[in-house]
Amino acid sequence: MLLRYPFDNQRKSSELCITMFTPAQAERFAAMETPFFYYDLSLLKKTIDVAALHARKHQFHIHYALKANVNREILQPIAAAGFGADCVSGNEVLRALEAGFSPDKVVFAGVGKSDKEIRTALAHDIFCFNVESVEELQVINELAAQAGKTATVALRVNPLVEVNTHHYITTGTAENKFGIPPRDFDALLQLLPQLSYVKVIGLHTHIGSQICDMDNFKNTCLKFNEIRRWFEEHGLQFTDLNVGGGLGVDYKQPDEHPIPDFESYFDTVSRYLERTPQQQVHFELGRSIVAQCGSLITRVLYTKQGETKRFAIVDAGMTELIRPALYQAYHKIEAVGVAADESYAYDVVGPICESSDFFGKEVVLPALKRGDLLAIRTAGAYGEVMTSFYNLREKAPAVYED
Ligand SMILES: *Cc1c(COP(=O)(O)O)cnc(C)c1O
């Protein structure tokens, strides 16, 4: 008994993760090469419908943030639902247009837009540039002049609010690189009359990601109102108000909460964001639309009893899903089609030569053996898009089910 002590981490089977995958799916997966991304398109469509339903109630406009997932099979139903697109690179603008998003619903954000990217967006007459610095505004003005166009822009402002999320995914605090800092507002107003090729139509903000506390959105609206009033008092009117994205999803209980609480989210903004009936309100939702429809399916290559830990070494790694390594993110991990009486707490780790290459620690799973399948859930957002070829890894394919 004493010898086994560090390894004696057997758990009750009642703590076991029960997979949502059916035996038929498990059987199908077992015949497939791993790792791969699995996307449930029917859940995606349900999520789109629920988001659209609650947005419509307030006449809100949703722009899907492409950076969460850019697969064409994912983009098409979102574009077909009439959503706009939120892009953060020139290539995302091109991908959005190719997938069927209307150019007059494309917004383009990002702190470091290159000249080439700005020209691309101008050439396609996108709806709006979300401008993040005074210098960028001058460059857009210059490039628009060269192109013989007027660029419509929104000023991205930093509301300086603290939010409850991992500090790597906050974007609206005093230390973040995003948005035009309030200290530049005066200079911006002085400069504007000289910029004849930009037209300021909107005010924009985005405070971060994976935010589940509605108070964070409420506080953002209150700060946003203040900033908007300041600009109005100084002679700048906005037709469009864009409050960004950031609505979180339930990584812990994906089956209990497959669809985020869009209703509370939109109701909160509707209640606290001041607007005139003429002002259009825009959102940029990424994660909340696509996270839950995706899983990363991986196979156990080896099990190993370390000095103090029991490892399940799987064939997917941080090259497919970097969120745990990058943001200490939690993903639910389930065994798929594994029947075992015993269960153990495993550190589920990848093959990449980095100690941060893990998916979960002390994850209670049925006793695993080589060849068993695991599903890493809620991997539809910021998963496949962050794929890297580190260690000369091959790109994991995507499979779709309707
Ligand atoms: C990332 C990002 C979004 C989307 O954030 P989610 O948390 O995925 O909804 C929206 N707007 C901007 C400017 C972003 O950078």
Side-chain angles (χ1 to χ4, degrees):
M1 272 314 275
L2 242 153
L3 268 179
R4 272 183 55 83
Y5 163 68
F7 317 131
D8 193 15
N9 51 4
Q10 199 168 347
R11 303 287 167 94
K12 291 192 300 290
S13 59
S14 61
E15 294 172 34
L16 269 185
C17 295
I18 306 300
T19 180
M20 61 124 190
F21 292 104
T22 64
Q25 282 174 315
E27 206 173 304
R28 197 153 49 80
F29 291 175
M32 293 168 67
E33 231 181 277
T34 48
F36 60 89
F37 286 92
Y38 167 87
Y39 293 103
D40 176 352
L41 293 182
S42 73
L43 176 58
L44 173 64
K45 285 169 193 158
K46 273 183 223 153
T47 308
I48 294 168
D49 286 347
V50 173
L53 174 80
H54 293 296
R56 207 176 305 127
K57 216 165 64 186
H58 306 285
Q59 278 118 38
F60 288 162
H61 306 279
I62 303 175
H63 303 261
Y64 167 65
L66 263 80
K67 77 177 194 275
N69 190 311
V70 289
N71 294 3
R72 292 172 175 85
E73 292 81 353
I74 300 286
L75 295 181
Q76 272 152 11
I78 301 174
F83 288 23
D86 168 39
C87 303
V88 290
S89 75
N91 284 343
E92 281 191 4
V93 171
L94 295 175
R95 174 68 64 92
L97 298 176
E98 178 201 309
F101 288 93
S102 167
D104 62 6
K105 290 182 183 174
V106 171
V107 299
F108 184 13
V111 283
K113 303 177 190 76
S114 72
D115 294 16
K116 185 181 170 194
E117 291 175 313
I118 293 168
R119 286 201 181 96
T120 298
L122 285 168
H124 290 279
D125 298 312
I126 63 159
F127 168 57
C128 193
F129 290 84
N130 292 336
V131 171
E132 308 222 10
S133 69
V134 174
E135 203 170 14
E136 182 194 331
L137 193 63
Q138 290 170 295
V139 170
I140 292 177
N141 183 64
E142 228 170 85
L143 297 176
Q146 286 170 16
K149 303 203 170 182
T150 303
T152 43
V153 308
L155 307 176
R156 176 169 181 174
V157 294
N158 189 334
L160 307 178
V161 291
E162 292 296 331
V163 295
N164 307 330
T165 190
H166 191 273
H167 62 286
Y168 278 11
I169 50 176
T170 67
T171 57
T173 73
E175 288 174 8
N176 291 124
K177 66 181 175 180
F178 300 99
I180 303 171
R183 59 169 65 210
D184 286 348
F185 289 176
D186 281 317
L188 184 131
L189 286 175
Q190 298 216 326
L191 189 68
L192 265 186
Q194 298 153 46
L195 306 180
S196 345
Y197 298 92
V198 295
K199 181 167 184 245
V200 178
I201 60 159
L203 194 63
H204 171 250
T205 197
H206 170 71
I207 54 167
S209 204
Q210 186 49 22
I211 298 163
C212 298
D213 181 349
M214 291 300 144
D215 276 348
N216 292 164
F217 293 115
K218 171 186 164 184
N219 293 336
T220 302
C221 289
L222 299 180
K223 281 304 284 280
F224 194 87
N225 296 341
E226 262 178 50
I227 298 171
R228 181 191 47 73
R229 276 196 297 266
W230 186 90
F231 276 107
E232 280 175 3
E233 282 157 16
H234 291 77
L236 205 52
Q237 304 293 328
F238 304 107
T239 54
D240 294 83
L241 308 175
N242 183 337
V243 292
L247 177 62
V249 301
D250 194 341
Y251 282 94
K252 294 254 157 70
Q253 299 187 301
D255 296 318
E256 288 81 348
H257 303 119
I259 297 177
D261 189 357
F262 293 108
E263 184 170 22
S264 303
Y265 174 60
F266 290 132
D267 283 352
T268 301
V269 174
S270 179
R271 177 146 172 223
Y272 294 105
L273 187 76
E274 291 169 3
R275 65 190 197 274
T276 65
Q278 291 78 36
Q279 275 169 332
Q280 303 298 309
V281 181
H282 303 262
F283 291 81
E284 303 166 338
L285 296 177
R287 185 191 311 269
S288 53
I289 307 291
V290 296
Q292 296 292 18
C293 76
S295 293
L296 175 59
I297 309 298
T298 183
R299 198 170 248 122
V300 176
L301 290 171
Y302 306 103
T303 57
K304 176 153 81 179
Q305 193 67 86
E307 289 299 330
T308 59
K309 295 251 183 184
R310 193 183 285 268
F311 294 103
I313 301 157
V314 299
D315 61 3
M318 63 193 290
T319 43
E320 286 69 50
L321 182 66
I322 201 177
R323 299 190 65 258
L326 193 58
Y327 322 118
Q328 299 160 315
Y330 173 88
H331 282 264
K332 188 175 181 192
I333 302 174
E334 300 168 345
V336 179
V338 177
D341 296 335
E342 290 175 348
S343 61
Y344 297 98
Y346 290 94
D347 278 16
V348 179
V349 303
I352 307 303
C353 299
E354 297 289 340
S355 292
S356 59
D357 179 35
F358 65 86
F359 292 118
K361 303 219 159 164
E362 303 277 312
V363 185
V364 180
L365 291 162
L368 295 171
K369 57 180 190 316
R370 177 172 166 81
D372 285 342
L373 288 176
L374 299 179
I376 301 164
R377 302 288 307 279
T378 320
Y382 307 109
E384 196 175 347
V385 277
M386 290 199 195
T387 295
S388 85
F389 54 86
Y390 186 40
N391 292 192
L392 262 190
R393 295 273 292 175
E394 279 171 28
K395 168 79 182 63
V399 305
Y400 304 89
E401 188 161 280
D402 220 329

